[in-house]
Amino acid sequence: MSIRPIDVARTDGGPQWVEAVGTPAGVEVWWDEPRPHEGGRRCVVRRLPDGSRADALPPGWNARNRVVEYGGRSWRPLPGGGLVFTNWADQRLYRLEDDAEPVPITPEGPSRYADLYLPPGRDEVWAVRETGEVRDLVAVPLDGGPVRVIVRAQHFLMNPRISPGGRYIAWIGWDHPNMPWDGTELRVAPLRDDGTAGEHRVVAGGPQESVAQAEWRDDASLYAVTDPTGWWNVHLVHVDGTPGTNLTPVELEFGGAAWKPGMTYLAIADDGRLVVVYGTADRRRLGVLDPGTGELREIGGAATHWASTVSVAAGRAAAVGATPYTPLEVTLVDLESGAHEIVSAPKPLPDRDLLPTPEAVTIEGVHAHLYPPADVRGPGPYVVFVHGGPTGHLPIMLDLEIAYFTSRGLGVAVVNYGGSTGYGRAYRERLRHQWGVVDVQDCAKVARGLVELGRADAAKIAIRGGSAGGWTTVAALVHSDVFAGGVAHYAITDPESWAAETHDFESRYLDGLVGPLPETRQRYAERSPLLNAARASGPCLMLHGLEDAIVDVSQAERFTAELDKHGKEWALLTYPGEQHGWRREETIVAVLEAELAFYGLIFDIDMPGVPPLKLKERA
């Protein structure tokens, strides 16, 4: 038996934002989840204290937005059970009450909204508004009145928060060329009578310190997740500039890379304790932190990964956890007893015997997770999985995409190469100005290490990844001789042209990854897979969505044209209606089948049950 592609499609993705709401009857939990079988929309779900679940968003509505193209926090439950959300089709904010149709509360136009926040005691929702390349924090009346600009400060903004007494507003911002994991500022300003911010000051962060989240403790201080020590720890910072305190002075990460405005790693309980998500990329935990004593108690149970979203109400935390054998699930955790209750609907899962058992290893200083192939004795074929970002990581948790391949006799090695999050800033900074070098070398080290350990057949190792992982895939093909072939999903293939044509959020990302232009143009040319396609060590399968606003399909088209020019084997498959990542059930199935067929070709292994794939050179 083996896992089917439809099994993967129907469990693809997981809950993204979660919120616990205390009511007289108990704790309600809200979250949004992907619906691949409904065109890939994200649906908000509400679970009542009696255990019943219902979609809070009617069919046809999609709670997503395109702020910084990756989107941000897209909804909030309203007091009494309503919902305010951003709709994918027109990027407007909508209010939904009971069973009525959603009503727009922002005007038509080019603006997008994200990182929604409901300031207590105000009949309005605060949000980051993005209009072209201009961003501001705005207040939108829930009755649809005129939008008010609260503050326009740094080029990028997130995390708007009002102090408990309503006197101050706090937010996090940063400017080019920094990315939010490089350096951000936590700013505080008095809130004027007209609802706009007064003169603001920086209370944490800076050019080389990244504040990932902040929450008010009282009108004089905030809890900030920031990394002056090289690790995202929880700090108490003060509005008046009094030196702050690191409440978690350990080499563990209590934060992460802010790819999407609205990610949360801590929540404040009614009794003042903090619920925190923390750990490393090898195990991410859920815990309760007493800020007075510094005591940190784990309540995450058997889960090996907790997502970057957490909320708390009435002594219970709502979070999203997973194990190597269970997918991401919305979980209610009692802060005292640690008892867990899964509140999201169960997903159909394959037999446990089909799921691989992961192993965290370090090979020549490189962190990796190994998933052995089923029914293979001795050295077998392996695929090196490369995460996107590149400032990110792949955790240890059930991933049916990985299990799809292992169940068919292909081992998987997930490489969290230098530059990955989850191991502190120093490990992250290994990639500074070394993108296309360190990531490629680290993937090659792991591949060679698998051969030396007797696990992998040196002639049957492939590499694959998406986005920045797709870049590392094609870069490894042209700058190493380790891999028999590569599969690149929506990949960057030429860094200089990508920097010129990509969206604003990442338009200066390569300043830190490769170097500033035009001073380091030669470095860009030397590392470009496009300009070095003649050196490809094996065939390449390119997969790309035709509506991708982050990496244009021309990156794949130009690279495959160069491969063709130099007599290399390649295939390019494109998918209408898909953006930067696969969301539709039919696309997920088609992509998995094409990828499996590709490995069958390059490894000379029969892969029954999938449509044949022809490489252009072989056609």
Side-chain angles (χ1 to χ4, degrees), residues 170-488:
W171 69 90
I172 296 168
W174 68 98
D175 292 297
H176 282 315
N178 269 349
M179 298 298 287
W181 42 86
D182 295 325
T184 61
E185 295 175 332
L186 172 59
R187 294 192 182 186
V188 171
L191 199 58
R192 299 188 183 110
D193 291 341
D194 63 359
T196 63
E199 184 176 352
H200 38 88
R201 61 177 299 176
V202 177
V203 298
Q208 296 180 321
E209 179 183 336
S210 167
V211 186
Q213 184 191 351
E215 303 292 340
W216 287 97
R217 184 183 73 163
D218 50 42
D219 272 19
S221 58
L222 304 97
Y223 296 113
V225 178
T226 185
D227 73 342
T229 65
W231 295 84
W232 275 303
N233 290 164
V234 181
H235 293 248
L236 181 65
V237 300
H238 304 284
V239 173
D240 64 4
T242 302
T245 305
N246 186 349
L247 302 177
T248 57
V250 292
E251 292 188 346
L252 294 171
E253 300 279 43
F254 288 73
W259 282 99
K260 297 182 177 184
M263 300 167 83
T264 53
Y265 312 91
L266 72 81
I268 305 174
D270 294 338
D271 61 7
R273 290 180 295 172
L274 308 181
V275 180
V276 291
V277 175
Y278 69 102
T280 71
D282 298 332
R283 179 152 193 167
R284 212 170 185 206
R285 307 169 188 270
L286 185 71
V288 179
L289 173 67
D290 185 326
T293 66
E295 179 190 1
L296 178 61
R297 177 169 53 89
E298 186 178 356
I299 58 171
T304 52
H305 178 71
W306 292 92
S308 303
T309 181
V310 63
S311 180
V312 63
R316 304 180 81 187
V320 179
T323 76
Y325 312 107
T326 55
L328 289 166
E329 297 174 306
V330 181
T331 308
L332 264 180
V333 184
D334 189 279
L335 301 190
E336 295 303 327
S337 68
H340 286 215
E341 180 186 4
I342 306 299
V343 298
S344 51
K347 292 183 176 181
L349 295 176
D351 291 342
R352 173 73 174 265
D353 292 344
L354 293 176
L355 303 179
T357 296
E359 177 187 359
V361 300
T362 302
I363 297 176
E364 295 187 46
V366 182
H367 298 282
H369 304 149
L370 305 184
Y371 296 80
D375 302 322
V376 175
R377 293 184 179 181
Y382 259 81
V383 181
V384 169
F385 271 45
V386 191
H387 65 72
T391 311
H393 70 267
L394 286 174
I396 288 182
M397 55 173 274
L398 176 63
D399 185 335
L400 283 189
E401 187 174 57
I402 291 175
Y404 172 74
F405 294 114
T406 60
S407 72
R408 285 169 166 75
L410 302 177
V412 170
V414 169
V415 179
N416 285 328
Y417 49 86
S420 301
T421 56
Y423 305 102
R425 182 179 277 262
Y427 193 78
R428 222 164 59 235
E429 290 289 325
R430 285 187 58 223
L431 203 61
R432 181 160 293 277
H433 296 163
Q434 296 297 313
W435 195 42
V437 179
V438 164
D439 49 330
V440 170
Q441 292 173 348
D442 284 1
C443 289
K445 286 178 183 177
V446 171
R448 292 191 183 102
L450 292 174
V451 174
E452 292 171 3
L453 291 169
R455 299 195 181 194
D457 181 340
K460 294 182 178 180
I461 303 178
I463 186 169
R464 62 93 77 180
S467 191
W471 151 273
T472 302
T473 295
V474 292
L477 284 182
V478 304
H479 294 307
S480 79
D481 58 1
V482 176
F483 302 102
V487 178

Side-chain angles (χ1 to χ4, degrees), residues 63 83 96-97 117 136 177 183 191 272 278 370 539 546 555 577 594:
L83 182 72
L96 173 63
E97 292 286 357
Y117 168 71
D136 42 25
L191 199 58
Y278 69 102
L370 305 184
L546 292 179
Q555 289 277 321

Side-chain angles (χ1 to χ4, degrees), residues 70 176-179 181-182 259 388-392 419 431-432 435 468 492 498-499 502 504-515 524:
Y70 291 100
H176 282 315
N178 269 349
M179 298 298 287
W181 42 86
D182 295 325
W259 282 99
T391 311
L431 203 61
R432 181 160 293 277
W435 195 42
I492 299 165
W498 177 76
T502 194
D504 185 40
F505 176 61
E506 293 184 271
S507 62
R508 301 291 300 278
Y509 195 5
L510 297 193
D511 283 31
L513 291 175
V514 182
Y524 281 71

